[in-house]
Amino acid sequence: MKVLVIGGGAREHALCRSLSLDPDVTALHCAPGNAGIAEVAELHPVDQLDGDAVARLATELGAELVVVGPEAPLVAGVADAVRAVGIPVFGPSREAAQLEGSKAFAKDVMAGAGVPTARSYVCTTPEEIDEALDAFGAPYVVKDDGLAAGKGVVVTEDVEQARAHALACDRVVIEEYLDGPEVSLFAITDGVTVLPLRPAQDFKRALDGDEGPNTGGMGAYSPLPWADPKLVDEVMDTVLQPTVDELRRRGTPFSGLLYAGLAITGRGVRVIEFNARFGDPETQVVLARLRTPLAGVLLNSANGTLDDQAPLSWSDDAAVTVVVASHNYPDTPRTGDPIEGLDEIAEQDAPHAYVLHAGTKRDGDAILSAGGRVLSVTATGTDLAEARERAYAAVGRIRLDGSQHRTDIARKAAEA
């Protein structure tokens, strides 16, 4: 099978790494990719938001499966353009991707499906914003209705900060605060059958102790030793299957990766948000534990044959990912700095620890930082403590001027 992956972050590197290990994959391409992905896939320049350009590239390459990684191309309708030329694609249509593209749409779908979520108001005027903030009180949860690369949400005790964020959005969702730990659960679906993956937890705040601003994610781990063993079954029954069924009922079937961001509250599981693609950095740890070859599963989703898929096989190992970010992330990150130590990790830490590239580019023999989140250092171990130890040992070998990372990824879970 010839596979083309669209995107250029650590999520796409994780996908490409897994696909490169799949014996059924005879050729692997990625567009536009990054310096790390170039080691396992052939790179091609493309505007990943241009569906026609992506479809042309897939046709030229003779791709038999296209995997769309990021949310922006999905919301832009790239999967539709690829399907239109007859190539199977893993990723929802433009209409179905509105589950992530519009939080108001997602709330409407959840209401129709009876999915438990936070009470909320959709606001477009200053008066509506003030009424909603007053109705819920602190802590305030304010979400930009559209795509914001994981940084469109403000949770604050400060009403003025909440109001300022709301006023900066064209349309905003203001909702009640959900207490309790958060869980990310991915499911692969063909619009009818839903196949859940293993849950993970990510760390959104920039600094240790969940301090600092929200980011796209600073690390993740799986499994969750503190979670109820019945959690996945419960979320399947109350969230994932009802959502897929509701979208199909509306005439907008969802095929691809359905990502449920969940809060485990005192009143039960509640959906915080949906995403329409693999999450970053949770993908890094989930795929590190998946033993079933990936390409066939994604192809079954694309072809509507997921009911033929054998049960997934999983490693009992734990996995931890630590994100190494550039100076001043998530504000205006500094780029263009050389990254050193990657060869040492490959020589001394493999196969238990490895580096997935996020924001990197090659300049001659040098690899330079080219984004806010630069690397995802991923490690496996017999338990979370061993996986943590291996991940942070590898992080310690990386030399990137001004770089930052959290030191507490999976610490509480490992010590529990």
Side-chain angles (χ1 to χ4, degrees):
M1 192 192 315
K2 295 179 181 177
V3 182
L4 169 62
V5 176
I6 302 302
R11 163 187 46 226
E12 288 76 36
H13 194 175
L15 287 164
C16 286
R17 179 181 183 273
S18 290
L19 290 165
S20 74
L21 298 172
D22 186 333
D24 288 337
V25 176
T26 54
L28 182 58
H29 303 270
C30 187
N34 62 39
I37 295 174
E39 296 175 11
V40 294
E42 184 179 344
L43 303 191
H44 305 270
V46 78
D47 177 356
Q48 59 185 0
L49 299 180
D50 185 337
D52 291 339
V54 172
R56 275 196 306 275
L57 176 63
T59 302
E60 290 166 8
L61 294 173
E64 293 156 288
L65 174 66
V66 174
V67 180
V68 183
E71 61 273 22
L74 292 168
V75 173
V78 166
D80 303 272
V82 176
R83 282 194 188 94
V85 297
I87 299 174
V89 58
F90 181 80
S93 66
R94 180 203 304 264
E95 286 189 337
Q98 285 303 304
L99 200 62
E100 177 169 4
S102 167
K103 292 181 174 57
F105 175 78
K107 287 289 187 182
D108 189 59
V109 170
M110 283 188 268
V115 168
T117 186
R119 293 179 299 121
S120 63
Y121 294 104
V122 179
C123 305
T124 56
T125 69
E127 293 76 21
E128 290 174 346
I129 289 167
D130 288 339
E131 286 178 18
L133 293 173
D134 289 343
F136 288 129
Y140 303 98
V141 181
V142 183
K143 299 180 176 181
D144 190 334
D145 180 54
L147 291 181
K151 297 184 278 289
V153 179
V154 165
V155 181
T156 179
E157 298 279 346
D158 184 342
V159 68
E160 292 306 322
Q161 184 184 359
R163 181 179 287 114
H165 181 64
L167 290 170
C169 304
D170 289 334
R171 186 159 77 150
V172 68
V173 175
I174 296 174
E175 63 184 39
E176 68 175 327
Y177 176 75
L178 296 175
D179 64 333
E182 295 185 11
V183 174
S184 299
L185 183 61
F186 302 162
I188 293 171
T189 178
D190 59 6
V192 178
T193 301
V194 180
L195 189 66
L197 306 186
R198 292 293 166 90
Q201 186 175 62
D202 77 330
F203 294 75
K204 287 291 187 198
R205 299 283 188 170
L207 306 176
D208 284 6
D210 291 329
E211 299 289 334
N214 261 349
T215 72
M218 294 299 291
Y221 69 94
S222 179
L224 313 181
W226 48 267
D228 187 328
K230 299 176 183 175
L231 176 64
V232 173
D233 290 340
E234 179 187 348
V235 176
M236 266 291 291
D237 292 342
T238 63
V239 176
L240 298 172
Q241 192 71 58
T243 300
V244 169
D245 292 345
E246 173 68 11
L247 284 163
R248 189 175 67 253
R249 186 187 68 77
R250 291 173 177 228
T252 55
F254 187 104
S255 168
L257 196 290
L258 178 59
Y259 165 147
L262 309 164
I264 313 302
T265 76
R267 295 174 291 137
V269 175
R270 297 288 185 272
V271 174
I272 301 170
E273 65 177 358
F274 282 125
N275 291 327
R277 39 70 194 180
F278 278 102
D280 183 347
E282 301 98 320
T283 302
Q284 288 86 303
V285 292
V286 173
L287 292 186
R289 301 184 61 217
L290 179 65
R291 282 182 169 161
T292 301
L294 184 61
V297 187
L298 303 186
L299 186 62
N300 278 332
S301 165
N303 285 337
T305 53
L306 207 53
D307 58 340
D308 297 335
Q309 174 67 45
L312 298 179
S313 174
W314 296 91
S315 167
D316 291 330
D317 281 356
V320 171
T321 284
V322 179
V323 171
V324 177
S326 55
H327 177 72
N328 207 37
Y329 177 76
D331 293 327
T332 307
R334 192 174 79 206
T335 59
D337 289 310
I339 305 164
E340 298 177 335
L342 300 178
D343 291 342
E344 295 167 32
I345 295 172
E347 292 166 5
Q348 301 182 45
D349 300 286
H352 300 297
Y354 49 88
V355 178
L356 298 168
H357 291 229
T360 66
K361 65 178 181 181
R362 182 170 286 281
D363 182 16
D365 291 334
I367 293 178
L368 308 180
S369 62
R373 291 186 295 174
V374 181
L375 305 168
S376 281
V377 180
T378 302
T380 56
T382 55
D383 56 22
L384 286 173
E386 184 175 50
R388 273 192 93 245
E389 184 180 332
R390 287 171 170 172
Y392 279 107
V395 169
R397 302 190 202 282
I398 293 170
R399 297 179 294 282
L400 171 61
D401 188 44
S403 68
Q404 54 177 315
H405 65 271
R406 283 184 58 158
T407 66
D408 62 348
I409 303 301
R411 179 190 290 157
K412 285 183 182 178
E415 293 173 349

